[in-house]
Amino acid sequence: MSSGFDTKIAVVLRDDLAGWQSLNVTAFLVSGITAAVPELVGEPYADADGTRYLAMLGRPVMVFAGDADVLRTAHRRALDRGLAPAIFTADLFATGNDADNRAAVAKVARADLDLVGIAVHGPRNAVDKIVKGARMHP
């Protein structure tokens, strides 16, 4: 079934995360995509009573899982294709704010990042190739 979108958003999570960690990491990663590509956000919602609700992404987010090697490979593939991913490393579970998050990432070389999740937005076929080897998150 075709979604009708020419681009795709995908999140790849390490498959050994606790449930709360998977949800938290997904939320952080998708916020990175939203910040980078704000035109992906749709219009605000309203119910039949006129109560207003916040706008959300106007397209689905596909969530995948894989081991550490799958994440490293997806990370490399995204960078090789010129797509900047949002990343979440294991170190970020121990920080408490954005400045500390950025500092934790900045002190680790790219090859040594302990990735627990990445998110990428780009052309559908490129994103499909980036996440190849990951499976749909349970």
Side-chain angles (χ1 to χ4, degrees), residues 22-65:
S22 292
L23 295 170
N24 185 265
V25 170
T26 299
F28 271 97
L29 293 172
V30 172
S31 74
I33 298 296
T34 305
V37 194
E39 60 270 20
L40 294 174
V41 177
E43 296 296 319
Y45 287 71
D47 62 26
D49 298 317
T51 307
R52 309 270 308 158
Y53 302 100
L54 296 176
M56 297 185 285
L57 286 171
R59 66 189 58 218
V61 176
M62 305 304 297
V63 182
F64 298 89

Side-chain angles (χ1 to χ4, degrees), residues 105-113:
V105 172
K107 69 181 179 183
V108 180
R110 180 176 53 216
D112 297 327
L113 292 170

